[in-house]
Amino acid sequence: MNITCKNFKSGFRKLSGRRLFMPFICLVLVLLVNVIKTPDFFEISIKNGVLYGYLIDIINRASELVILAIGMTLVTAASGGQDISVGAVMAVAAAVCCQILSGGKVTTNTFDNPLLLAILIALAVALLCGAFNGFLVSRLHIQPMVATLILYTAGRGIAQLITKGQITYIRVDSYKTMGGYIGSCPVPTPIFFAVIMVSIVYLILKKTALGLYIESVGVNGRASRLVGLNSTKIKFLTYIICSVLAGVAGIVASSRIYSADANNIGLNMEMDAILAVALGGNILSGGKFSLMGSVIGAYTIQALTTTLYAMNVSADQLPVYKAIVVIIIVVLQSSTFKKQLAGLKIRKASKAIEGGQ
Amino acid sequence: MDQNVVLKIDNLSKSFPGVKALSNVNFCLRKGEIHALMGENGAGKSTLIKVLTGVHELESGEIHIDGINKAIINHSPQEAQGNGISTVYQEVNLCPNLTVAENLFIGREPRKAGMIDWKTMNQRSEVLLKKLKIDVSSAQMLEECSIAIQQMIAIARAIDMKCKVLILDEPTSSLDEDEVEKLFDLMRHLRGEGVGIIFVTHFLEQVYAICDRITVLRNGELVGEYVTEKLPRIQLVAKMMGKDIDDLADIKSEQKKFTEEESLIVADGLGHAGSIKPFHLEINKGEVIGLTGLLGSGRSELVRVIYGADKPDSGKLIFKGKEVKINTPLDAMKLGMSYLPEDRKKEGIIPDLSVRENIIIALQAKRGMFKPMSKKEMEEAADKYIDLLNIKTAGRETPVKSLSGGNQQKVIIGRWLLTNPEYLILDEPTRGIDIGTKTEIQKLVLELAEEGKAVSFISSEVEEMLRTCSRMVVLRDGKKIGEISGDQLTQETIMKTIAGGEDR
Amino acid sequence: SNSKDVNAGSTPDAKAPTDTSKSKDLITVGFSQVGAESDWRTANTESMKSTFSEANGYELIFDDAQQKQENQIAAIRNFIQQEVDYIVLAPVTETGWDTVLQEAKDAGIPVIIVDRMVNVSDDSLYTAWVGSNFELEGKKAAAWLDAYLKAAGKDKDEVNIVDIQGTIGASAQIGRTKGLEDAVKQHSSWKLLAKTTGEFTQAKGQEVMESLLKQYGDKIDVVYCENDNEAFGAIDAIEAAGYKVGVDGDMIVMSFDSTNAGLSDTLNGKITLNTECNPLHGPRVEEIIKDLQSGKTVDKQKYVEEGIFSFENSVPSIKIDGVDYPVTQVTKDLAAQRAY
Amino acid sequence: MMNKIKGKTKLNSNSFLLMVTVLMFLLMYIAGMIIYQDKGFAKPQMFLNLFISNAGLLVIGCGMTVVMITGGIDISVGSVTALVCMAAAYSMENKGLSVYTAVAASIGIGIVYGIVQGYLVAYLDIQPFIVTLAGMFFARGMTAVISTEMISIKNELFLKWANYKLYLPFGTVNKKGIYQPAYIYPTVIIALAAVILITIMLKYTKFGRRLYAIGGSQQSALMMGLNVKKTKFEAYILNGFLAGLGGFLFCLNSGAGFVEQAKGMEMDAISAAVIGGTLLSGGVGTAVGTLFGVLIKGTITSLITTQGTLSSWWVRIALSTLLCFFIVLQSIISFSKKKRKKKTGS
Ligand SMILES: Nc1ncnc2c1ncn2[C@@H]1O[C@H](COP(=O)(O)OP(=O)(O)OP(=O)(O)O)[C@@H](O)[C@H]1O
Ligand SMILES: Nc1ncnc2c1ncn2[C@@H]1O[C@H](COP(=O)(O)OP(=O)(O)OP(=O)(O)O)[C@@H](O)[C@H]1O
Ligand SMILES: [Mg+2]
Ligand SMILES: [Mg+2]
């Protein structure tokens, strides 16, 4: 009995030493709140031929955020700063995609151009945005947040310019699949997008040395240069990846509403993406990173939002609760806090011993 | 507490995840003595100092200081300063964005009517700088100063504070002889005033030149405290290493071999405006070339230009008979060059990455992004060099920043050996490295040369270079002023060349 | 409805070749617009721009405030220094204009407010106001609902309503919500199950509706969306959950704005009632300026007339405070003619 | 032997950057005065309007500069401004409290914010971006909790303050031939006083210098015996105070409280500080620089307004193009200066 207990304890310690442990626990905690408050929260049923339930909503709704968060993680790791233009880039990509599909009309019931072409051009434009950001950060050594502030301001203007200030509607069913369902598949398509994007980035990191390069450049750029890494190129690359992913997220978001809403697609998503990176246990000043942590962070944020909706918190007061939960989570994750807590325990224990003597 | 004792440490213990850095160490510092703290890399010297001054939390043990009746615990360097302990830490810890004067006075700026009195501050720092013969202006930004100057400024700061205990953790590692002498004069003066000084160094000569007592640590444990005169060098080394070594000088006996005169690299008129004037240099296979000169004479710059760390703006580089263009360090690496930079903290280690990653990073970069090393390959490589260089670490996944200074240096040496270079540039590789390892490294350099590799070696210790180099290049003010080889290779000729005469 | 004749007069594409020298007879008008946050707003801007063209004898100085009141305040100060003849202000907010309007008054520049009202302590700070009555819009919608239920014989049944509100604090949100809430208070059988913001966007409307459906399912009878975009999102969510919208469906959707896309959805029955909010203010403001130029006095406040568009025709008209408002059944032509 | 390092250090890279910023501002403004002379850009009041419209931002920017010098950031300031305005408006209009209470409440909110955020950042070592992001959410949400309605402030004394013009001894004659004296509001004086006080604080107090030391290297500052935690804590409190004060000045200008107020103001404050030469990575920055950052942003907006024919989206694009032009030019100048210095080192 004692031995198993010990084993369990050491196993637990090992587990809790893992980097993903805290982010994961936080996600679970957020979900657990629902067990008491909204018992049917975990119910998943098939309704109208598709999966239905709060959990599905969370996973579905978080898709864009997940896609953004992985890009943001790489940028953060390599350049020690954040790309705050991702939301705007989403809008730009969506605008390009819809404008090509509609052929310039405000609303269309048929594709004017092939869907694939539109998507590719939209992603290419997103890539251009990334190249612009990357150039400013890696070549001109402008601080990331400042460099991306430019597109953050301009992006929605560009998107509106493309759509001529209108919301462009693509009322074609096949356009809705990316944000809806493919055929009779009961799983929402955005989930696939998220899974595929995470897998692609994960595989790239796994199958190449990019991950190590990014970390190395992020931790010490000068030393990295001397061991033969081209930090300019690597930072540049991360910005491109981040923007292309933002483009993908933009297309998914646009497909959900089968339109390009330059003002609202991806609005305030950059902050949530950064938050996801931080909740995933990543340091915002660059260096070591955990992709999966950010993914968990993204789901945590959406879980929180959906939970609050389910608990009938009015949307305008939602930020208050969000702020409180975020602070609780980061305080729990803070190593200083853990240390202080441990210190408290030790002190208590030693007092107990003193008292016993 | 004894009347004469200024600092007493009892049963100090400290552990980090995976390592017991200190266990039950006792230490006693008397008034007006210079006390050497000795030990191999990773013995726990810096940790002892950091625990004492509150950088690391005290785990167990007691610290007593003269004038205070009960045991004290310093929670921060600030508190330690308040208790009369002034410290120069191993790595230079100053603020690069402030001026020299501010770095000297921050936290205790002279004030007039509550406002900082910049004029007085600058005047006082000019005086202080002059006293220590540090040749910078007090209005200069610290980041524009060389490491040696920064080291001197850190020392000046510590000394200028009225203190009972002065701690110097490897202050001399980047200083040249003149500056070491200046420092010693100061230390003697302070000793005369009754200040107790803890002095950490790996240079035995310095210990015997100035220290009254020696405390030796090994693997975080106290070996003992000795009076300097009563402890012969050989015994001191034996106590540090835990075993007898035959002779430090055994390398000397090893014959320097002049291998085939096949030239590997020819630098023809290579130069970099502002730091190194165009120079001509031939480097042959199997040869160890030393670069010598005073501090700031351009030794580092010369090798950096060859390696492409700074892009040369004149001249050409011929590698194995072919002219090559080196735009980035990677180009140089691909040709088989490697470069161990002198500023370990800024340009060497990648602090948050593990020992393993730090070792394999150069090879991985050379291979390219799309050919990642397998996990097994990496682990084998890491284990091999941890073993070979005797790197003291809790494991290969430990972040390199938590290693002791000397062991970090070894990791970087391992990094370059792993790339199997044909030409190895070592800029101050033995800085902060213990005597045993130093010998090992010297041996290693000779072995590499024997294998037909070319090595450029920079060190502030002329003796060390004499032992290993077959040819020496002398620099002055960013200009190559001569080469010395063969029989001429003696301390005297080198000194003479450095001092100038022949070409002036 | 009056929207037709406005449409007809407000799309002159002609742009006279720009004369670089500022000719004396042009009337300078500084227009501070909220931003370009919606189709409605873009149409509003276009209406102003085409009305105050050089061909019509105006020089328009246009400023986009990007939804920031402080930008508008700065812009008005700028207009004053430019010594424009008239200032037209489409305020971001109703509040907080005392200081800067006082400055305009001191400089002797008449200020015409469009769209939202300004709430100032001294009415003389502005010359005239033109805009929509959002509360009336809400009342119209509620009155229609009442009449519709009566016509369908369901007025005794319990009616469950969810309100997907606009961006909290926006005048349109406040007015439209109030219109509904007041009506709910008067009808004991009406129940407001929930009100929550969809921020005037399709995406939020969809997300909020998804959540509401999980909580209330087909208990919901009426979805009151405070603009068309929210309605689109809500309809998507309802259909995705397997319910049917419309007169014969599980719930009806009510909406505001009557944009082109909104009217199409009204035409096909997804939106049952769409209350108009007309953005074409340009001609009306011009009228006021012309009157002022010729020394006439102008009405201090002038509400824009706005129509009510319905999918079905069981309610021909509604009466609010003694005034009759006709309800128009949407036709193909009507929907197609919408320019915005 | 090392005298080559000496000399020509009086103009270090930071004051050089500030000089560039000031110069570029002057160039831009003078260009505007020439191009838009007939549109009143050359009038003194046009210049004063920059201060009048940006008094709140200026004070908030000073606070931002202080935390950015320590290497931190505060993205909650925009929302805090909204909260302050709402609290002030609510207390005066709905609770009938006096203006003085409102001022106290405003500054109180700022300070409480500073204390909480400062504690989390300094003592629990949580990343400032995240702490203040949560702060931003919280303040925005709380604003909605207080009231979702727009509250117009009608308090007499408040309006008297807000409308109190200080006339200056110069002015212009308008096209109707009436002499119009130039004026400012008291908010401008408070804002400029804040800039001056913060400048003095940064340069001449121990606290100020500690901020720079921490920003330069936190580790070193700790090792040099500075109380890093306390200093950071105090920096956030000061920033909170300035955010509260700035928020109230903002309120005097906008005269209302509502949920959507001052959205995105944090970015304005950050970019103003950055344009003024403050580094996000810490250790470098001045309040005077931030003043010019604010003026430059104000001038860009003013130029666009004066231009007057841009579509909404072109406004955004023009705004960011000018911003981009500015940031890039600044970076190129400072970069080439660094290079040149390295070259001419000996
Ligand atoms: N922050 C830390 N975290 C984990 N381990 C540490 C940390 N600091 C030191 N150590 C470990 O403690 C041991 C003692 O290190 P310390 O720096 O005191 O050695 P040292 O005697 O100063 O060596 P050197 O001569 O190389 O400077 C080493 O094994 C080192 O890896
Ligand atoms: N970080 C720096 N900033 C400015 N100047 C520097 C810096 N490092 C070196 N220098 C200057 O470059 C010149 C050459 O320095 P270099 O480092 O090559 O000298 P060195 O002979 O290697 O001496 P050291 O023993 O200091 O390494 C010197 O004049 C020095 O002042
Ligand atoms: Mg050490
Ligand atoms: Mg050197």
Short mmCIF file of all heavy atoms in Angstrom, two decimals, chain B residues 147 294-301 303 339 342-343 427-428 431 458 460, ligand 4:
data_model
loop_
_atom_site.label_atom_id
_atom_site.label_comp_id
_atom_site.label_asym_id
_atom_site.label_seq_id
_atom_site.Cartn_x
_atom_site.Cartn_y
_atom_site.Cartn_z
N ILE B 147 35.09 43.69 -22.71
CA ILE B 147 34.80 42.92 -21.50
C ILE B 147 35.78 43.22 -20.39
O ILE B 147 35.41 43.31 -19.22
CB ILE B 147 34.91 41.40 -21.74
CG1 ILE B 147 34.11 40.96 -22.94
CG2 ILE B 147 34.47 40.64 -20.52
CD1 ILE B 147 34.09 39.45 -23.03
N LEU B 294 48.40 43.05 -26.53
CA LEU B 294 47.74 43.57 -25.34
C LEU B 294 46.24 43.49 -25.51
O LEU B 294 45.71 43.21 -26.58
CB LEU B 294 48.14 45.04 -25.14
CG LEU B 294 49.61 45.22 -24.80
CD1 LEU B 294 49.93 46.70 -24.76
CD2 LEU B 294 49.94 44.56 -23.47
N LEU B 295 45.58 43.76 -24.41
CA LEU B 295 44.12 43.79 -24.44
C LEU B 295 43.64 44.77 -25.50
O LEU B 295 44.13 45.87 -25.62
CB LEU B 295 43.66 44.30 -23.08
CG LEU B 295 42.51 43.56 -22.48
CD1 LEU B 295 43.02 42.27 -21.93
CD2 LEU B 295 41.88 44.40 -21.42
N GLY B 296 42.69 44.32 -26.27
CA GLY B 296 42.13 45.22 -27.28
C GLY B 296 43.05 45.45 -28.46
O GLY B 296 42.85 46.36 -29.24
N SER B 297 44.06 44.60 -28.60
CA SER B 297 44.99 44.81 -29.70
C SER B 297 44.43 44.26 -31.00
O SER B 297 44.99 44.45 -32.07
CB SER B 297 46.33 44.15 -29.39
OG SER B 297 46.11 42.77 -29.15
N GLY B 298 43.34 43.57 -30.94
CA GLY B 298 42.70 43.13 -32.17
C GLY B 298 42.83 41.66 -32.44
O GLY B 298 42.56 41.19 -33.54
N ARG B 299 43.22 40.89 -31.41
CA ARG B 299 43.36 39.44 -31.61
C ARG B 299 42.02 38.82 -31.99
O ARG B 299 41.91 38.07 -32.97
CB ARG B 299 43.86 38.78 -30.32
CG ARG B 299 45.21 39.26 -29.90
CD ARG B 299 45.51 38.89 -28.47
NE ARG B 299 44.58 39.55 -27.54
CZ ARG B 299 44.64 39.43 -26.24
NH1 ARG B 299 45.55 38.65 -25.69
NH2 ARG B 299 43.80 40.06 -25.47
N SER B 300 41.02 39.16 -31.20
CA SER B 300 39.70 38.59 -31.48
C SER B 300 39.22 39.02 -32.84
O SER B 300 38.66 38.25 -33.60
CB SER B 300 38.71 39.05 -30.43
OG SER B 300 39.17 38.69 -29.17
N GLU B 301 39.44 40.29 -33.15
CA GLU B 301 38.95 40.80 -34.42
C GLU B 301 39.58 40.05 -35.59
O GLU B 301 38.91 39.75 -36.58
CB GLU B 301 39.25 42.30 -34.54
CG GLU B 301 38.51 43.15 -33.55
CD GLU B 301 37.01 43.07 -33.73
OE1 GLU B 301 36.56 42.82 -34.86
OE2 GLU B 301 36.28 43.23 -32.73
N VAL B 303 40.65 36.95 -35.82
CA VAL B 303 40.06 35.64 -36.09
C VAL B 303 38.60 35.77 -36.52
O VAL B 303 38.12 34.98 -37.33
CB VAL B 303 40.19 34.68 -34.89
CG1 VAL B 303 41.63 34.25 -34.73
CG2 VAL B 303 39.65 35.29 -33.63
N TYR B 339 34.78 28.21 -34.49
CA TYR B 339 35.20 29.38 -33.73
C TYR B 339 34.57 29.39 -32.34
O TYR B 339 33.36 29.41 -32.19
CB TYR B 339 34.79 30.63 -34.52
CG TYR B 339 34.87 31.93 -33.77
CD1 TYR B 339 36.09 32.37 -33.23
CD2 TYR B 339 33.75 32.73 -33.60
CE1 TYR B 339 36.16 33.57 -32.56
CE2 TYR B 339 33.82 33.94 -32.92
CZ TYR B 339 35.03 34.35 -32.40
OH TYR B 339 35.11 35.54 -31.73
N GLU B 342 35.11 34.56 -27.54
CA GLU B 342 35.62 34.85 -26.20
C GLU B 342 34.53 35.21 -25.22
O GLU B 342 34.65 34.93 -24.04
CB GLU B 342 36.66 35.98 -26.27
CG GLU B 342 36.10 37.31 -26.69
CD GLU B 342 37.13 38.42 -26.57
OE1 GLU B 342 38.02 38.34 -25.69
OE2 GLU B 342 37.06 39.37 -27.34
N ASP B 343 33.44 35.82 -25.72
CA ASP B 343 32.38 36.21 -24.79
C ASP B 343 31.36 35.07 -24.67
O ASP B 343 30.41 34.97 -25.43
CB ASP B 343 31.70 37.49 -25.27
CG ASP B 343 30.79 38.09 -24.21
OD1 ASP B 343 30.34 37.32 -23.32
OD2 ASP B 343 30.51 39.30 -24.28
N ASP B 427 39.28 31.30 -29.01
CA ASP B 427 39.52 32.62 -28.43
C ASP B 427 39.31 32.52 -26.93
O ASP B 427 38.19 32.41 -26.46
CB ASP B 427 38.54 33.64 -29.07
CG ASP B 427 38.96 35.08 -28.80
OD1 ASP B 427 39.89 35.27 -27.98
OD2 ASP B 427 38.37 35.98 -29.40
N GLU B 428 40.42 32.54 -26.22
CA GLU B 428 40.38 32.40 -24.76
C GLU B 428 39.61 31.16 -24.31
O GLU B 428 38.66 31.28 -23.54
CB GLU B 428 39.72 33.64 -24.13
CG GLU B 428 40.20 34.95 -24.71
CD GLU B 428 41.19 35.66 -23.82
OE1 GLU B 428 41.61 35.05 -22.81
OE2 GLU B 428 41.56 36.79 -24.14
N ARG B 431 39.66 30.43 -20.40
CA ARG B 431 39.19 31.41 -19.43
C ARG B 431 38.21 30.75 -18.46
O ARG B 431 37.23 30.13 -18.86
CB ARG B 431 38.50 32.57 -20.13
CG ARG B 431 37.77 33.46 -19.17
CD ARG B 431 37.07 34.59 -19.83
NE ARG B 431 38.03 35.42 -20.54
CZ ARG B 431 37.67 36.35 -21.43
NH1 ARG B 431 36.41 36.53 -21.69
NH2 ARG B 431 38.58 37.08 -22.04
N ILE B 458 44.10 31.83 -28.81
CA ILE B 458 44.29 33.13 -28.18
C ILE B 458 44.18 32.94 -26.68
O ILE B 458 43.27 32.26 -26.21
CB ILE B 458 43.21 34.14 -28.63
CG1 ILE B 458 43.24 34.30 -30.14
CG2 ILE B 458 43.40 35.47 -27.93
CD1 ILE B 458 42.12 35.17 -30.67
N SER B 460 45.33 34.97 -22.76
CA SER B 460 46.01 36.07 -22.10
C SER B 460 47.26 35.58 -21.39
O SER B 460 48.08 36.36 -20.95
CB SER B 460 45.08 36.73 -21.10
OG SER B 460 43.92 37.13 -21.77
MG MG E 4 39.65 39.17 -27.51
#
